[in-house]
């Protein structure tokens, strides 16, 4: 019980964000190259050290309400001897940019607590805790982020069909760019709900079309049809813009990527700020797009091969 460690990573939704909240399918890819690590050790007083906050746990700010809620839950469940501890969060994921930082922190934190208190942790329990904190952070969360930040494989998810881990072989690359503008997922999910309640027919049709984009994405990935996939990215981005999820900065970045050779680009995650993803044919193409995005004002960029796995996942 002297030390505990938990690891996780970011995610990017390549298709179906927002529609997934309404039961349509979505596909997300784990960003295994952007890890989050949480360490816990015994300490005279309970503290948290992270790039967002350093200090006593009792002083955690409201902006970390999901983390605060999760720590309380885990402490209540596991800390029967009322031990004090120091938690450190080490993450290169930007927060509130649609890359799953809250779910990744939630999952690394849960793993670290169970490790620290030397208790076994199965995936269902892990997902249960991450979703609890996600509900505080994001409101009505679909559960997709929680599933992807604990997976090493792409995730195809819908509420009805539940989770399906899958794999594909593709030469493509994703270029991910941070607009530098915070995206408020809780707010955008709630705004889409308001739009839906006001005009269920029109908004329902957009969400349905996003669901169809996900089905087409799965086929394009399986067949390695990158040009088709790029077109689907652009279609989905137009649909997400109809849901009032784009801002001038992400529009500018998307235009810049598409003008410099991207096969297609879209908002990813909650939208109205945050990150965009762009599809590149190969690494050379991806680096060209990356340079253009930096010139156009992207705050940070990452490159990720679409297929990073050489073996089939050994998961049901
Ligand atoms: C916008 C959304 O679809 C993705 C957030 O990363 C919300 C959710 O799935 O809970």
């Amino acid at each position: 019980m002297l030390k505990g460690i938990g690891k996780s990573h970011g995610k990017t939704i390549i298709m179906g964000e927002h529609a997934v909240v309404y039961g349509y399918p979505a596909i997300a890819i784990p960003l295994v190259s952007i890890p989050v690590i949480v360490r816990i050790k015994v300490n005279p007083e309970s503290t948290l050290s992270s790039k967002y906050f350093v200090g006593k746990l009792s002083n955690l700010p409201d902006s970390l309400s999901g983390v605060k809620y999760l720590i309380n839950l885990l402490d209540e469940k596991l800390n029967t001897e009322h031990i004090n501890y120091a938690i450190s969060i080490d993450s290169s994921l930007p927060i509130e940019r649609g890359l799953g930082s809250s779910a990744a922190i939630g999952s690394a934190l849960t793993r670290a607590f169970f490790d620290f208190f030397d208790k076994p942790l199965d995936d269902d329990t892990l997902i249960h805790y991450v979703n609890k904190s996600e509900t505080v952070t994001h409101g009505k969360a679909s559960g997709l982020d929680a599933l992807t930040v604990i997976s090493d494989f792409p995730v195809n998810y819908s509420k009805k069909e539940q989770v399906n881990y899958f794999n594909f072989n593709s030469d493509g690359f994703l270029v991910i760019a941070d607009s530098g503008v915070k995206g408020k997922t809780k707010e955008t999910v709630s705004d889409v709900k308001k739009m839906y309640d006001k005009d269920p027919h029109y908004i329902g049709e957009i969400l349905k079309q996003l669901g169809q984009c996900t089905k087409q994405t799965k086929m394009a990935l399986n067949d390695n049809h990158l040009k088709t996939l790029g077109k689907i990215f652009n279609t989905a981005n137009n649909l997400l813009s109809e849901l009032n999820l784009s801002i001038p900065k992400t529009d500018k970045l998307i235009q810049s990527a598409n003008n410099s050779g991207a096969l297609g680009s879209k908002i990813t995650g909650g939208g109205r700020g945050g990150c965009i993803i762009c599809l590149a044919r190969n690494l050379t193409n991806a680096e060209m797009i990356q340079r253009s995005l930096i010139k156009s004002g992207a705050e940070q960029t990452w490159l990720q091969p679409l297929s990073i796995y050489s073996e089939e996942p050994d998961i049901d």
Side-chain angles (χ1 to χ4, degrees):
M1 196 202 272
L2 285 176
K3 277 182 184 173
I5 186 162
K7 293 181 192 169
S8 191
H9 48 67
K11 62 90 210 190
T12 179
I13 299 180
I14 62 168
M15 201 57 66
E17 50 274 270
H18 287 283
V20 69
V21 176
Y22 295 79
Y24 293 106
I27 294 176
I29 294 191
L31 297 175
V32 285
S33 55
I34 319 182
V36 173
I37 301 171
V38 172
R39 292 182 179 82
I40 306 185
K41 62 179 186 195
V42 174
N43 205 47
E45 57 181 356
S46 288
T47 59
L48 176 76
S49 134
S50 69
K51 64 180 173 197
Y52 332 106
F53 170 83
V54 178
K56 287 188 192 173
L57 273 189
S58 51
N59 293 339
L60 274 181
D62 285 348
S63 57
L64 294 177
S65 57
V67 170
K68 190 174 180 172
Y69 178 71
L70 182 58
I71 292 174
N72 283 339
L73 275 185
L74 293 165
D75 187 271
E76 233 169 68
K77 161 100 181 152
L78 302 167
N79 193 4
T80 46
E81 290 172 36
H82 304 290
I83 292 158
N84 285 331
Y85 43 76
I87 304 172
S88 73
I89 302 177
D90 194 359
S91 167
S92 33
L93 272 175
I95 59 165
E96 298 184 62
R97 302 296 209 279
L99 298 185
S101 67
S102 58
I105 290 172
S107 132
L109 200 54
T110 306
R111 282 176 166 152
F113 260 86
F114 275 78
D115 187 39
F116 181 64
F117 289 104
D118 207 14
K119 292 276 185 275
L121 175 65
D122 58 51
D123 278 357
D124 286 346
T125 310
L126 173 59
I127 288 170
H128 164 81
Y129 279 108
V130 180
N131 277 331
K132 284 261 175 199
S133 68
E134 283 291 274
T135 306
V136 173
T137 311
H138 287 323
K140 189 185 172 192
S142 67
L144 176 63
D145 288 16
L147 290 165
T148 316
V149 300
I150 69 157
S151 171
D152 289 335
F153 299 101
V155 174
N156 185 190
Y157 172 80
S158 75
K159 281 186 186 165
K160 201 161 126 217
E161 285 162 23
Q162 292 295 307
V163 62
N164 173 16
Y165 298 98
F166 74 116
N167 211 355
F168 48 85
N169 271 317
S170 174
D171 322 317
F173 265 77
L174 285 179
V175 186
I176 302 156
D178 180 3
S179 66
V181 179
K182 283 187 179 181
K184 299 251 181 258
T185 301
K186 193 170 185 170
E187 204 174 286
T188 57
V189 169
S190 150
D191 287 353
V192 171
K193 173 83 173 59
K194 280 183 205 147
M195 287 169 81
Y196 179 80
D197 289 344
K198 212 168 152 195
D199 193 348
H201 182 73
Y202 177 63
I203 301 299
E205 184 55 35
I206 294 175
L207 295 165
K208 185 172 157 195
Q209 286 181 32
L210 281 166
Q212 282 160 359
C213 284
T214 300
K215 289 187 183 149
Q216 292 162 2
T217 294
K218 180 121 192 251
M219 283 192 280
L221 286 170
N222 283 334
D223 298 342
N224 197 17
H225 279 171
L226 290 179
K227 258 189 166 173
T228 308
L229 185 57
K231 283 189 188 146
I232 307 169
F233 271 34
N234 288 336
T235 303
N237 193 61
N238 291 338
L239 292 167
L240 292 166
S241 298
E242 291 278 309
L243 295 178
N244 192 22
L245 297 168
S246 57
I247 56 164
K249 182 74 183 279
T250 49
D251 281 348
K252 182 180 172 194
L253 292 175
I254 283 173
Q255 203 174 25
S256 150
N258 287 351
N259 287 344
S260 57
L263 297 169
S265 305
K266 65 182 278 292
I267 300 160
T268 183
R272 218 176 285 153
C275 288
I276 62 156
I277 54 171
C278 317
L279 184 67
R281 256 181 222 97
N282 49 40
L283 181 59
T284 315
N285 186 212
E287 285 170 346
M288 218 157 75
I289 297 162
Q290 187 178 34
R291 281 193 292 274
S292 152
L293 284 166
I294 293 167
K295 257 194 195 159
S296 303
E299 193 161 291
Q300 208 176 345
T301 56
W302 300 264
L303 296 185
Q304 159 132 346
L306 255 187
S307 299
I308 33 179
Y309 315 104
S310 53
E311 285 173 24
E312 284 298 310
D314 186 19
I315 302 168
D316 291 332

